Amino acid sequence: MKTQKSSEEKSRKRSKLDWLKLRFKIWQLPKKVSASEWADESRYLDIKMSAEPGRWRTERTPYLKGIMDALTDRMVEEITIKASTQVGKTESILNMLGYVMDQDPGPALLVMPRKEDAKTISSDRVKPMIELSPALSKHLTGYDDDITNFSIAIDRMTLYMAWAQSPAALAGKPIRYLFLDEINKYPPFSGKEADPIKLATERTRTFWNRKIVKVSTPTIEEGYISREYERSDQCKYYVPCPHCGKYQVLVFTQIKFPKDERNPETIKAKRLAWYECTECKKAITDTMKQKLMIKGKWIPEGCSINNKGKVKGKKNYTTHRGFWINALYSPWLTFSEIAAEFLSVKGRSELLMNFVNSWLAEEWKEKIEERKPEKLKKLALEYPAGTVPDGAIVLTAGVDVQLNHFYYVVRAWGVGYESWKIESALVESWEDIFLMFNKYYPSEIPGIEPFQVHLVNVDTGYHTTEVYDVCREWVGLARAIKGKQDLGGMLYKMTNLDKYPNGKNMPGGLKLYNLDVTLFKDKVARFINTGIEGTSKWHLPRDPSEMYLKQMCAEGKIIERGKRGPGREVWKKLSSHSMNNFWDCEIYATAAAEMLRVYALREEDKPKPVILKRPEKARKGGGWIRKQGDWSKRG
Ligand SMILES: [Zn+2]
């Protein structure tokens, strides 16, 4: 009896144990892995979207390990990634998403700048990632309705895709995981509508274990990503020199190449560039790079790392981790490719800005000092106004047309963008402008033929039809121009105004040249500033007028919060009633110089003395212009 009882008890105990075991099995937490370990184990790269298809390997981009693992760090709530375009930041977001779906599910939202971006990332990246990875595809429900353009519902969670321009899409259901990509392309905070980042973040409030990931390449200091990185612990990736062991952050200024080689293609093809250690000055080559990357460490602001890899310093306690990484760390780029890219964009501000943002992951700072008339006056040389100094090769002019008068500036150009103002004037009539068209400006150097203006840009803001007529009449000499704030990186863009009824362009018809005035103003401001710093290449004749000097200082650069991005630097009058006409004329004359490609002028283009002949014929005006008198022969 006793034995039977005990065996019954035993079996009851056993079944209780089994039940517990079963229960434990059901409820046990998934095997603890970090996001990077998960990616190495379970993420597969698509052959269509990746240069290196197949299983994901974190060791290819070791710096991404620290970034991805911040997601699985319980102390971290916010992650900011300020990075260049070629370091694998999108892949790291996808890896984090994959980890969430498989290991620690919760409602997730991925926000892109525009609707099209949200659709593309969903169809081209997220869906293929799920299909390719068995660890993820096992969570699919099999119901077609669960997968739409902007949402993917799997067994234990839903991932939503939204875009920053849609407040409705941003303010909705509670979200535990928030991924904000390319945040510098989000519409700027206007004050009227809510800041899209804040709006999306609101949705995470109910989750104590929320994670917010913000990613972007930087643009200007006022951009969202720079603001977020500033708020974080500001980690940088330190790698040790293979020669002396000194840990350092890789910066562009340490990329070196032979001094006598300036051809980007040669540098790239022959791999002539190297990285110079800041400590021992020895060369670190591309072949050494991968080894350094594996030994690298993320170090927050305020800490340092010694040659043995020991981190020192007091770390600020924060739940916000920030990572900054540039193209120098990328396994897909050589130091020579980076140097070559720099050399090919140097001196072209719009391309250089892209290089600084997208390759170096740094903010673009336009170096504009406030201009003062007294400072500007220092750029005056000894030559008198109206004469052309030694070195000048070609003359251009800019005309600002007002309601009942005109301003113009004539400027001479030489080798290496050196330039001299020849004259500036405020005149009353078109006749005075035609006089300038026909004028012979004597050279300072005896025996050199006098100069005439080669190209004049005339603003079409006022008296547009008249300006068009003048430009038709003086085709080849005068061009109709219109100032624009943004031409998508182009300095100027031509459109045909004269068309046949069938819409085809009339050959030889009138053209309108749209100028990106922001870029040209940046250019002129740079010319002036380098002049003030002492390496003068932008000159004025002796005794420049107060009016000219004052007008040249009438505008400054300010941040305008527009619709196109998180803020853009634009030129504005410093006070609403100040006059800026000569400043505009200088912009137009500089644009004319750019159109004539004065940057390509060489020493041998300089005029040589000849026996001076008195010019007999003036330039041909024509048509209605001649009717106004025989002034055109006065030249
Ligand atoms: Zn070294």
Side-chain angles (χ1 to χ4, degrees), residues 46-244:
D46 193 350
I47 196 155
K48 277 179 277 178
M49 298 306 294
S50 173
E52 295 174 13
R55 187 176 278 206
W56 168 269
R57 292 186 301 140
T58 304
E59 59 170 21
R60 274 295 277 151
T61 46
Y63 49 86
L64 291 182
K65 181 173 163 38
I67 298 176
M68 293 189 286
D69 289 350
L71 186 86
T72 34
D73 182 339
R74 290 176 59 190
M75 306 304 284
V76 177
E77 187 173 273
E78 284 179 273
I79 301 165
T80 290
I81 310 167
K82 181 166 93 173
S84 64
T85 45
Q86 312 192 48
V87 290
K89 63 181 178 351
T90 307
E91 294 304 338
S92 65
I93 298 181
L94 291 167
N95 286 341
M96 288 191 236
L97 257 177
Y99 170 88
V100 165
M101 290 173 160
D102 185 36
Q103 296 285 310
D104 196 6
L109 173 65
L110 171 58
V111 182
M112 302 299 293
R114 295 165 308 164
K115 192 174 179 180
E116 308 89 84
D117 306 323
K119 206 169 166 180
T120 311
I121 197 152
S122 169
S123 63
D124 294 1
R125 310 306 298 271
V126 181
K127 285 173 197 167
M129 170 176 84
I130 297 172
E131 281 156 18
L132 275 174
S133 159
L136 295 175
S137 55
K138 72 177 184 207
H139 296 293
L140 290 172
T141 61
Y143 295 110
D144 289 349
D145 294 358
D146 280 344
I147 297 182
T148 71
N149 276 341
F150 300 109
S151 73
I152 298 172
I154 55 169
D155 52 0
R156 298 170 297 171
M157 65 171 274
T158 302
L159 165 65
Y160 302 94
M161 261 77 57
W163 55 100
Q165 285 152 335
S166 159
L170 296 177
K173 298 179 191 72
I175 290 298
R176 181 176 160 202
Y177 296 102
L178 176 62
F179 295 88
L180 302 158
D181 198 10
E182 285 301 342
I183 61 173
N184 274 23
K185 290 186 188 158
Y186 288 11
F189 175 48
S190 65
K192 284 182 207 136
E193 289 146 37
D195 176 339
I197 296 174
K198 287 218 173 86
L199 204 57
T201 307
E202 275 295 298
R203 295 179 62 173
T204 62
R205 263 177 42 181
T206 48
F207 285 94
W208 62 272
N209 53 357
R210 64 178 181 173
K211 300 276 178 185
I212 302 162
V213 184
K214 286 163 251 190
V215 190
S216 193
T217 47
T219 48
I220 52 172
E221 278 175 323
E222 289 72 21
Y224 288 126
I225 197 72
S226 308
R227 178 188 80 186
E228 294 300 326
Y229 184 74
E230 281 286 310
R231 287 179 50 232
S232 76
D233 65 351
Q234 303 177 31
C235 290
K236 291 195 169 95
Y237 201 66
Y238 284 69
V239 292
C241 168
H243 310 292
C244 69

Side-chain angles (χ1 to χ4, degrees), residues 25 32 37 48 161-162 209 349 412 430 473 481 484 510 541 564:
K25 204 171 177 186
K32 272 241 151 140
E37 285 166 345
K48 277 179 277 178
M161 261 77 57
N209 53 357
S349 66
W430 277 115
E473 202 64 42
I481 55 145
K484 295 269 178 188
L510 184 66
R564 296 181 51 94

Side-chain angles (χ1 to χ4, degrees), residues 241 243-246 248 277 279-282:
C241 168
H243 310 292
C244 69
K246 167 84 179 171
Q248 52 202 289
C277 169
E279 188 75 10
C280 70
K281 311 282 177 223
K282 282 186 185 153

